[in-house]
C-alpha cells in the first residue's frame, strides 16, 4: 500500500545514496502509528479506495488527475468520493479523479501559472519540493518534464493524500516523503531545482532555511522561492507580535528587497523577483473539501487590506536565484 523500496533501491550508490541509507528510519518515524493517532484510519481509507484503472493521466492542466475511457460504476465513484472526503482537509490542488473533483483550499494552479514561464525548464532535471503538502506542484513539475520529483512534508495526512493520488496516477518519478528539510542529509548538492513555497515565514531562522535550500542544490542549480512579504525597501522586515492572520508560527516577513539581500549574502546569484501578488479570497478559501476557516476569516472584516490583527494582508513574492557554481546536466 505504501512502499518506498523502489525509490530507496534506485538511490543506492548514486548522488542520493546518503539519503537512501537514512530514509527507512525517516519513513518509519514519519508514518508511525504510535505518534499519529489518526494514521491507522487514514491508512484504512487508502486501502479501501476502489481499484479503478486510468486510461489517461493529466499532469499539465489545472486539475491534476486520472481519467477513464469507460464510465466507472456509480458505486465505485461514490466509494472513491467518500474515501477521499475522509482524508479532509485537502489544502493544495485542485485534483480530479474519474470525474470526482477535489476542490482544495488553495487554487495552487494559480501559483504555478505565475512561475511556470519564469523558471529554468524542468526537462530532465531532478527536483526537490520542500513543504509540498499532498504533492500538487510535484505532479505539475513532472508534467513540465522533470526526470524525478521528490516532495517532502512532515504532515502524515498529506503523505497519505499523495498515496491516494498515486494509487491512480502510478508514476514512479514522483514521491512525497514524510520528512522535513532538517532530515535531508547536509551538503547533499544533488538537485537541479529546489522549490520552497509557503515555508520560509514558518522558520524561526530564515537564513538557516535558505542555506539548507542552497545546500540541496547542485552548483548552479536554481532555487524557486515563494513566501509572504511586506511592502518596503532594503532592510524592512516585519516580525509579528503574536499571531499573523491567526497563524501562530509566522516569524519573519521581509520586503522583497530584504529577501533578495538575504539570498545575496548567502552566495546566491542571478536573483530575480518574478512576481508579487496579494492573496485573494478566490485563491485561498474554504470549500467542501477544506471546511475549516480560511483567508476570509483571517482578514479584518472592516478592511480586507489588513489581517485580523491589523498587519498588512498576505502578499506573496516569487523569487528565483542560482546556487554558486555552474550547472551542467547530470544523470538523475
Amino acid at each position: 500500500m505504501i512502499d518506498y523500496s523502489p525509490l530507496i533501491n534506485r538511490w543506492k550508490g548514486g548522488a542520493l545514496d546518503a539519503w537512501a541509507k537514512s530514509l527507512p528510519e525517516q519513513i518509519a518515524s514519519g508514518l508511525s502509528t504510535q505518534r499519529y493517532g489518526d494514521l491507522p484510519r487514514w491508512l484504512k481509507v487508502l486501502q479501501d479506495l476502489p481499484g479503478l484503472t486510468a486510461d489517461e493521466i493529466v499532469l499539465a492542466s489545472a486539475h491534476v488527475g486520472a481519467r477513464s475511457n469507460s464510465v466507472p460504476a456509480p458505486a465505485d465513484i461514490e466509494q472513491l468520493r467518500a474515501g477521499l472526503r475522509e482524508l479532509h482537509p485537502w489544502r493544495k490542488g485542485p485534483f480530479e479523479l474519474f470525474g470526482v473533483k477535489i476542490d482544495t483550499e488553495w487554487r495552487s494552479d494559480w501559483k504555478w501559472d505565475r512561475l511556470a514561464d519564469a523558471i529554468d525548464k524542468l526537462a530532465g532535471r531532478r527536483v526537490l519540493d520542500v513543504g509540498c503538502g499532498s504533492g500538487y506542484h510535484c505532479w505539475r513539475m513532472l508534467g513540465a518534464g522533470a526526470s524525478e520529483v521528490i516532495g517532502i512534508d512532515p504532515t502524515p495526512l498529506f503523505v497519505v493524500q499523495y498515496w491516494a493520488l498515486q494509487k491512480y496516477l502510478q508514476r514512479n518519478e514522483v514521491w512525497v516523503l514524510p520528512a522535513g528539510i532538517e532530515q535531508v542529509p547536509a551538503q547533499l548538492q544533488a538537485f537541479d531545482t529546489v522549490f520552497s513555497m509557503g515555508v520560509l515565514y514558518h522558520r524561526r531562522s530564515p537564513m538557516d532555511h535558505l542555506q539548507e535550500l542552497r545546500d540541496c542544490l547542485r552548483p548552479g542549480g536554481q532555487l524557486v522561492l515563494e513566501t509572504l512579504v511586506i511592502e518596503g525597501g532594503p532592510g524592512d522586515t516585519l516580525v509579528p507580535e503574536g499571531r499573523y492572520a491567526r497563524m501562530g508560527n509566522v516569524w519573519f516577513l521581509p520586503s522583497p528587497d530584504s529577501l533578495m539581500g538575504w539570498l545575496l549574502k548567502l552566495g546566491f546569484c542571478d536573483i530575480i523577483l518574478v512576481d508579487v501578488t496579494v492573496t485573494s479570497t478566490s485563491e485561498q478559501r474554504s470549500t467542501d473539501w477544506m471546511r475549516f476557516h480560511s483567508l476570509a476569516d483571517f482578514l479584518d472584516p472592516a478592511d480586507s487590506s489588513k489581517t485580523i490583527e491589523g498587519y498588512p494582508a498576505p502578499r506573496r513574492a516569487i523569487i528565483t536565484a542560482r546556487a554558486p557554481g555552474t550547472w551542467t546536466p547530470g544523470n538523475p
Side-chain angles (χ1 to χ4, degrees):
M1 186 168 54
I2 290 182
D3 181 11
Y4 287 96
S5 60
L7 179 66
I8 294 170
N9 292 333
R10 188 166 76 208
W11 280 358
K12 287 180 179 178
L16 292 166
D17 182 68
W19 202 356
K21 291 175 180 175
S22 61
L23 196 51
E25 182 178 348
Q26 292 176 8
I27 293 166
S29 175
L31 295 177
S32 168
T33 55
Q34 285 72 40
R35 292 181 63 191
Y36 304 106
D38 286 328
L39 186 55
R41 176 172 63 84
W42 298 330
L43 293 176
K44 181 65 165 56
V45 170
L46 180 61
Q47 181 179 358
D48 291 344
L49 290 175
L52 300 172
T53 301
D55 295 305
E56 181 184 0
I57 303 302
V58 180
L59 302 179
S61 67
H63 286 78
V64 167
R67 298 171 182 166
S68 175
N69 292 335
S70 58
V71 179
D76 285 340
I77 294 301
E78 184 52 39
Q79 183 181 356
L80 174 64
R81 180 181 288 106
L84 295 173
R85 284 190 180 278
E86 285 293 314
L87 300 180
H88 174 276
W90 288 82
R91 300 283 187 180
K92 296 182 181 182
F95 300 100
E96 182 174 351
L97 298 173
F98 307 101
V100 176
K101 292 186 176 182
I102 303 175
D103 187 15
T104 50
E105 176 187 17
W106 280 91
R107 286 299 306 262
S108 304
D109 54 311
W110 295 9
K111 185 180 299 186
W112 182 257
D113 289 345
R114 288 195 286 267
L115 64 84
D117 292 334
I119 64 175
D120 290 349
K121 299 299 182 184
L122 296 181
R125 295 168 79 99
R126 172 182 280 149
V127 181
L128 178 68
D129 186 3
V130 178
C132 66
S134 60
Y136 175 82
H137 288 118
C138 296
W139 296 109
R140 297 302 303 268
M141 295 165 196
L142 181 62
S147 300
E148 180 178 76
V149 183
I150 305 301
I152 57 174
D153 199 293
T155 304
L157 173 61
F158 298 155
V159 177
V160 175
Q161 289 174 346
Y162 153 78
W163 280 100
L165 296 160
Q166 181 66 284
K167 179 181 179 72
Y168 304 110
L169 302 184
Q170 296 190 6
R171 297 295 299 265
N172 67 4
E173 306 97 330
V174 171
W175 299 82
V176 172
L177 309 179
I181 194 169
E182 303 87 351
Q183 293 165 286
V184 178
Q187 300 291 328
L188 195 61
Q189 296 187 348
F191 291 93
D192 303 300
T193 305
V194 170
F195 289 77
S196 173
M197 298 190 287
V199 177
L200 184 66
Y201 50 88
H202 291 313
R203 311 301 293 188
R204 294 186 184 185
S205 175
M207 298 294 279
D208 286 345
H209 181 66
L210 295 174
Q211 183 167 321
E212 290 168 336
L213 297 172
R214 185 197 66 190
D215 292 346
C216 290
L217 283 162
R218 293 174 56 200
Q222 187 177 53
L223 172 66
V224 182
L225 180 67
E226 189 264 7
T227 189
L228 290 172
V229 295
I230 59 169
E231 293 184 289
D236 289 338
T237 303
L238 170 64
V239 181
E241 296 181 11
R243 294 179 175 269
Y244 173 85
R246 292 189 170 163
M247 294 184 288
N249 58 343
V250 174
W251 297 93
F252 291 87
L253 279 68
S255 67
D257 282 341
S258 293
L259 182 52
M260 291 189 287
W262 296 352
L263 291 165
L264 188 64
K265 188 173 183 68
L266 288 170
F268 284 95
C269 56
D270 296 338
I271 303 167
I272 299 172
L273 178 62
V274 171
D275 180 80
V276 178
T277 297
V278 175
T279 306
S280 73
T281 53
S282 297
E283 184 171 359
Q284 183 191 9
R285 70 274 194 264
S286 300
T287 74
D288 286 343
W289 294 84
M290 204 302 293
R291 298 184 297 274
F292 301 140
H293 286 172
S294 191
L295 179 60
D297 305 290
F298 309 151
L299 300 177
D300 183 337
D303 182 357
S304 62
S305 70
K306 297 179 181 179
T307 69
I308 199 74
E309 302 87 2
Y311 295 116
R315 174 186 303 266
R316 292 175 175 267
I318 298 171
I319 291 175
T320 60
R322 200 166 303 284
T326 302
W327 181 82
T328 54
N331 181 14

